[in-house]
Amino acid sequence: MEVLSVMRTDVRDAHDASAAAAEEWKSWHDRRTAKVSEPHGPLSLTGTHWLADHVDGRIPAVPGVWREDGDEVVLSAGAGDGLTADGEPLDGEIRLTPDRGPIGESRIAAGERRLVVLRREGLWAVRDFDPRSAARHAFRGIEATPYDSHWALPGRFHPYDEHRTVRVENADGVERGLGIAGEIVFDVDGAEHTLGVAVEPDGSLWAVFADTTSGNGSYRFRFLRPPAPAEDGTVLVDFNRALLPPCAFAEHFICPFPPPGNTLTIGVPAGERNLIAG
């Protein structure tokens, strides 16, 4: 009877842990949905304009004259352009570096719009975030699979001896470098799988991956952001929190495609799958 009691306690504890994880996942999903639909969330991006494509400095539908000057962008605007810099009307010239904070706190605004300075591999661009975008107003939510403990997997992080950069195609058709610092190893139904990952400044990991559901029930590729590994390299690989990349919300993002080796030979019917649009 004592053994049976212990077994019942273990089953109850496992059930309670799973229920708690499912509730935590639901809260995460709700926060995620609210975040992407914010006025300056990814749904509001209406353009990424590379300055190299606009040698005269004039970007269609974007006020001001924008030109690159070494490690800065120079923006010239008159009072009639309706731009503000750091919350004050801009009438003259200002020198800008890449925006790195929240979109809503970027330096240059045109009414509700935010004009964000971007630099990638030495090239400058201006991104236009407009809360009135068609994508934001058509958004009805994110299709996601309810929490399934089967897809919360124990894994191990193996850092590379040297940081590697691989060239991968991006969503805009341009090939760019993608940094890979190591790989995570995990088992699914007894079979071992790996994903190459980057290490973020806070120690967390980032993977771009595809699987057999990609483009067939799920978006064509997704992101995974495991937490920082423990000192012994162990890490939770939770596909319940697989994310749609920014380019799923707006075509003007330049998301990298999965690097070689990051297309899984199994289906991952977990996490975010597609947009729900009206």
Side-chain angles (χ1 to χ4, degrees):
M1 293 296 293
E2 183 177 347
V3 173
L4 182 58
S5 177
V6 170
M7 291 177 61
R8 287 174 175 169
T9 298
D10 289 345
V11 170
R12 183 172 63 250
D13 289 347
H15 178 271
D16 290 346
S18 181
E23 187 61 32
E24 183 181 354
W25 177 89
K26 184 179 183 304
S27 296
W28 168 83
H29 176 63
D30 290 344
R31 292 193 302 272
R32 164 78 168 159
T33 302
K35 187 71 176 175
V36 302
S37 59
E38 287 179 345
H40 298 107
L43 290 159
S44 69
L45 181 63
T46 60
T48 295
H49 307 283
W50 297 97
L51 296 190
D53 296 332
H54 305 282
V55 293
D56 62 353
R58 296 191 177 277
I59 302 170
V62 176
V65 178
W66 305 75
R67 60 181 178 85
E68 56 184 278
D69 185 16
D71 291 331
E72 295 177 311
V73 164
V74 179
L75 167 61
S76 303
D81 288 317
L83 294 179
T84 59
D86 303 319
E88 299 295 329
L90 178 60
D91 186 2
E93 186 176 280
I94 188 172
R95 304 183 76 87
L96 304 167
T97 55
D99 286 297
R100 303 193 185 281
I103 302 303
E105 298 175 11
S106 56
R107 298 187 65 189
I108 306 300
E112 294 182 335
R113 294 159 61 191
R114 294 296 181 270
L115 303 177
V116 176
V117 177
L118 170 75
R119 194 179 195 186
R120 287 289 187 276
E121 297 189 333
L123 297 177
W124 292 94
V126 176
R127 278 182 165 162
D128 188 352
F129 287 85
D130 187 347
R132 299 167 299 176
S133 73
R136 182 166 179 258
H137 286 280
F139 178 70
R140 297 296 179 268
I142 301 173
E143 177 189 342
T145 303
Y147 180 83
D148 182 349
S149 59
H150 177 77
W151 289 104
L153 307 167
R156 186 172 295 275
F157 172 61
H158 296 287
Y160 295 145
D161 292 336
E162 295 182 350
H163 188 274
R164 305 175 186 178
T165 298
V166 296
R167 304 296 292 182
V168 299
E169 186 178 355
N170 284 217
D172 62 349
V174 177
E175 189 178 90
R176 297 183 178 88
L178 178 67
I180 303 292
E183 61 185 30
I184 49 176
V185 181
F186 53 94
D187 286 355
V188 178
D189 297 330
E192 183 177 277
H193 300 272
T194 64
L195 288 174
V197 296
V199 177
E200 300 283 47
D202 64 358
S204 63
L205 308 177
W206 173 52
V208 186
F209 79 97
D211 64 277
T212 61
T213 74
S214 299
N216 182 30
S218 296
Y219 191 72
R220 53 184 173 166
F221 63 95
R222 290 179 284 172
F223 289 176
L224 188 68
R225 295 189 177 275
E231 289 187 7
D232 63 356
T234 54
V235 63
L236 178 64
V237 183
D238 189 356
F239 284 102
N240 291 287
R241 301 199 182 195
L243 299 163
L244 294 177
C247 54
F249 300 95
E251 63 182 359
H252 307 286
F253 284 103
I254 53 174
C255 304
F257 289 171
N262 274 27
T263 297
L264 300 173
T265 58
I266 57 171
V268 181
E272 296 183 353
R273 310 293 294 279
N274 279 303
L275 291 189
I276 302 172

